[in-house]
């Protein structure tokens, strides 16, 4: 029997399974898969193994410990779930399986998507805008509460309001906060509070729960009722980590129903402390003002004098000033007369005696005149020498000695025979007058 010219290669099982795994992981990406949990088991390592099935098929799933710890609920057989997983092959057994990233209960994902779409649409419409929201009253005359009569949140809110401000009136507008009729009842309760206008602020609240439990506060009709309310609304729905559409539309959001009550009811003890501090400040200010005025009154009373006494004192003071003025005037006149007599005697002596230094002054004047004449003569002699030298060096002096200036027809002075050519017309300038000439011969030096 002849061998085939192209034999088929023989693959090891490990290579085949790994190739199949790579092929599946490349073509089947991370996805959401729904089904029913069965055969669940938890290994000592903390990993969770289970089967995910529906009416036609099933596959093995593994949820590793790090991701299993992040689940907010416990998996159980028969539970309808949606898993986000990567399809792959467990090569050691050659089994197809899903490596699960996270798990959610069936239907929750759709609710989250509805919540996200509605939130984005209402935010774009301006329902969440900060400038639209109103401030809460500091001292409300009455507070309204929209919640269920059986809700644990109602007891928490009433207890907090009673502790902080026991005299504050509270009016309840009952409404279901869960179930098919809850949406209409919450909307009607908010509308009733606005129509009756009995309260200054309204608390819409309920305790915590799953997204399905809180869904009434994610309905657009409830959000519209909160938006259209003339009364400021505080939303206290769920726990601190829960967020609903009502929270975003309300004028204020509290993390819990108790927190909503704390936002409105002014703490009586804190208010008393603030009032006491203000009263103490006012009393200190009043005391300081009174003390200042008392001291000012004492100073004014010390300066207060009877008009007759004041006139007498001023008359006496005026007499003393007049006496001082008379004495000062007499002394000044005597001093001036004495000084004038001294000056008169000195002037008489000066007029009788010839002036000192007149002969010396005459000698100085003669020396100055003689020196001036000699200096002017020397300057005149020097100037004559300069003038003779300038006259000797001037062009006119050179011409006077028999020289002449040769110029081209264009007026350029000729210094070299190379500047001329035979037949050129030249101009000759003498000490007196000019003459024309023509070059008939030249010799270059």
């Amino acid at each position: 029997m002849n061998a085939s010219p192209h034999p088929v290669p023989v693959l090891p099982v490990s290579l085949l399974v790994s190739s199949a795994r790579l092929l599946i992981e490349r073509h089947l990406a991370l996805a959401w898969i729904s089904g029913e949990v069965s055969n669940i088991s938890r290994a000592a390592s903390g990993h969770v193994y289970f089967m995910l099935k529906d009416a036609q098929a099933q596959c093995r799933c593994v949820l590793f410990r790090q991701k299993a710890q992040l689940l907010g609920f416990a998996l159980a057989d028969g539970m309808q779930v949606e898993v986000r997983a990567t399809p792959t092959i467990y090569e050691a057994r050659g089994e197809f399986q899903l490596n699960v990233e996270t798990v959610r209960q069936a239907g929750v994902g759709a609710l989250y998507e509805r919540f996200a779409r509605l939130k984005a649409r209402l935010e774009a419409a301006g329902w969440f805008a900060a400038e639209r929201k109103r401030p809460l009253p500091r001292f409300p005359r009455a507070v309204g509460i929209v919640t269920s009569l059986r809700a644990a949140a109602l007891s928490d809110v009433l207890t907090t309001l009673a502790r902080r401000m026991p005299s504050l009136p509270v009016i309840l507008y009952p409404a279901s906060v869960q179930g098919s009729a809850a949406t209409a009842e919450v909307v009607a309760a908010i509308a009733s509070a606005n129509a009756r206008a009995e309260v200054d602020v309204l608390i819409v609240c309920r305790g915590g729960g799953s997204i399905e439990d809180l869904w009434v506060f994610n309905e657009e009709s409830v959000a519209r009722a909160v938006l259209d309310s003339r009364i400021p609304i505080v939303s206290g729905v769920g726990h601190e980590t829960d967020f609903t559409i009502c929270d975003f539309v309300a004028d204020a959001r509290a993390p819990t129903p108790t927190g909503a009550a704390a936002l409105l009811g002014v703490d009586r003890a804190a208010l008393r402390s603030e009032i006491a501090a203000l009263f103490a400040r006012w009393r200190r200010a009043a005391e300081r003002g009174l003390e200042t005025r008392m001291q000012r009154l004492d100073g004014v009373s010390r300066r207060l004098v009877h008009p007759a006494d004041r006139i007498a004192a001023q008359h006496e003071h005026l007499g003393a000033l007049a006496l001082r003025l008379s004495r000062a005037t007499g002394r000044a006149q005597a001093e001036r007369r004495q000084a004038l007599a001294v000056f008169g005697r000195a002037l008489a002596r000066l007029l009788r005696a010839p002036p000192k230094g007149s002969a010396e002054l005459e000698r100085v004047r003669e020396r100055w005149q003689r020196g001036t004449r000699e200096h002017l003569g020397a300057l005149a002699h020097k100037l004559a020498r300069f003038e003779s030298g300038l006259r000797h060096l001037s062009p006119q002096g050179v011409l006077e000695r028999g020289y002449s200036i040769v110029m081209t027809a264009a007026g350029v002075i000729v210094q070299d025979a190379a500047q001329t050519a035979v037949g050129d017309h030249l101009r000759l300038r003498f000490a007196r007058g000019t003459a024309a000439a023509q070059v008939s011969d030249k010799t270059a030096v």
Side-chain angles (χ1 to χ4, degrees):
M1 184 175 180
N2 296 330
S4 174
H6 300 289
V8 177
V10 178
L11 300 177
V13 173
S14 60
L15 179 58
L16 176 64
V17 174
S18 65
S19 299
R21 179 183 62 79
L22 292 175
L23 185 63
I24 290 174
E25 291 179 354
R26 288 174 182 171
H27 290 82
L28 298 177
L30 186 68
W32 283 100
I33 305 157
S34 63
E36 179 185 335
V37 176
S38 66
N39 298 331
I40 187 168
S41 64
R42 293 174 175 81
S45 61
H47 306 326
V48 180
Y49 300 92
F50 59 94
M51 299 295 293
L52 190 66
K53 65 179 183 178
D54 58 18
Q56 285 78 34
Q58 67 178 13
C59 66
R60 188 177 300 277
C61 300
V62 57
L63 180 63
F64 293 107
R65 179 172 58 86
Q66 295 86 347
K67 296 182 175 63
Q69 292 174 345
L70 300 178
L71 289 183
F73 60 95
L75 286 174
D77 289 338
M79 183 179 290
Q80 293 291 330
V81 296
E82 297 171 350
V83 300
R84 183 171 172 83
T86 302
T88 186
I89 290 179
Y90 180 46
E91 296 184 22
R93 294 183 180 178
E95 295 178 346
F96 177 82
Q97 73 176 26
L98 299 177
N99 287 351
V100 179
E101 296 288 329
T102 186
V103 183
R104 67 189 181 194
Q105 299 182 50
V108 174
L111 289 178
Y112 275 120
E113 291 176 3
R114 284 180 57 190
F115 171 82
R117 287 196 301 269
L118 180 60
K119 179 177 179 294
R121 181 163 60 83
L122 298 185
E123 184 174 13
W127 288 27
F128 306 162
E131 57 272 14
R132 184 196 62 78
K133 300 185 178 184
R134 295 157 294 185
L136 304 180
R138 176 79 188 280
F139 300 100
R141 293 171 298 175
V143 173
I145 304 175
V146 176
T147 192
S148 171
L149 292 174
R150 296 184 299 274
L154 176 59
S155 175
D156 296 338
V157 171
L158 292 176
T159 301
T160 302
L161 291 176
R163 184 183 70 250
R164 296 172 64 87
M165 188 62 69
S167 61
L168 180 65
V170 178
I171 300 176
L172 179 63
Y173 302 93
S176 300
V177 292
Q178 187 174 346
S180 58
T183 300
E185 291 185 15
V186 170
V187 171
I190 295 175
S192 175
N194 278 270
R196 292 164 61 176
E198 300 167 309
V199 297
D200 295 332
V201 65
L202 199 60
I203 297 176
V204 178
C205 64
R206 67 148 288 161
S210 65
I211 188 172
E212 294 93 340
D213 297 336
L214 304 179
W215 190 254
V216 60
F217 299 99
N218 289 323
E219 294 289 353
E220 184 173 355
S221 57
V222 173
R224 168 62 72 177
V226 173
L227 180 72
D228 294 340
S229 174
R230 296 187 303 274
I231 302 173
I233 291 181
V234 178
S235 175
V237 178
H239 299 304
E240 186 170 357
T241 56
D242 297 323
F243 284 91
T244 65
I245 298 297
C246 182
D247 293 333
F248 296 111
V249 181
D251 296 288
R253 184 252 176 187
T256 61
T258 302
L263 283 178
L264 297 180
V266 179
D267 190 350
R268 180 175 56 179
L271 185 60
R272 284 179 175 176
S273 177
E274 183 178 353
I275 293 174
L278 290 174
F279 178 75
R281 288 174 55 191
W282 173 83
R283 185 174 61 185
R284 287 195 299 270
E287 290 175 352
R288 285 196 298 269
L290 183 60
E291 291 169 355
T292 301
R293 286 170 175 80
M294 291 170 63
Q295 290 180 351
R296 188 179 302 167
L297 180 61
D298 290 341
V300 171
S301 63
R302 285 193 297 268
R303 293 196 302 270
L304 185 61
V305 181
H306 193 277
D309 296 337
R310 178 173 294 181
I311 293 174
Q314 292 178 350
H315 186 271
E316 182 179 355
H317 182 62
L318 183 61
L321 291 177
L323 181 59
R324 288 175 58 190
L325 179 61
S326 175
R327 291 175 179 175
T329 303
R331 286 197 301 271
Q333 290 178 351
E335 292 174 355
R336 290 191 182 93
R337 283 195 296 270
Q338 183 178 1
L340 185 59
V342 173
F343 291 150
R345 290 192 295 271
L347 180 59
R349 287 196 300 270
L350 290 174
L351 291 176
R352 287 194 299 270
K356 295 181 179 180
S358 57
E360 181 65 23
L361 181 62
E362 182 64 23
R363 288 194 296 272
V364 170
R365 184 178 65 80
E366 290 178 356
R367 287 200 304 270
W368 175 79
Q369 289 178 347
R370 186 171 55 255
T372 301
R373 286 194 299 270
E374 293 174 355
H375 183 64
L376 290 177
L379 290 177
H381 182 68
K382 185 181 294 186
L383 182 61
R385 288 204 315 271
F386 287 157
E387 183 180 4
S388 176
L390 289 174
R391 191 182 303 113
H392 181 72
L393 295 175
S394 67
Q396 186 64 32
V398 174
L399 294 177
E400 290 288 347
R401 293 197 298 274
Y403 293 97
S404 62
I405 299 174
V406 182
M407 295 178 290
T408 65
V412 179
I413 297 175
V414 177
Q415 297 176 331
D416 191 346
Q419 293 179 251
T420 64
V422 176
D424 286 350
H425 292 278
L426 302 176
R427 194 85 179 161
L428 305 179
R429 180 178 177 182
F430 305 101
R432 285 173 291 280
T434 60
Q438 185 175 10
V439 179
S440 59
D441 188 16
K442 72 172 186 174
T443 302
V445 181

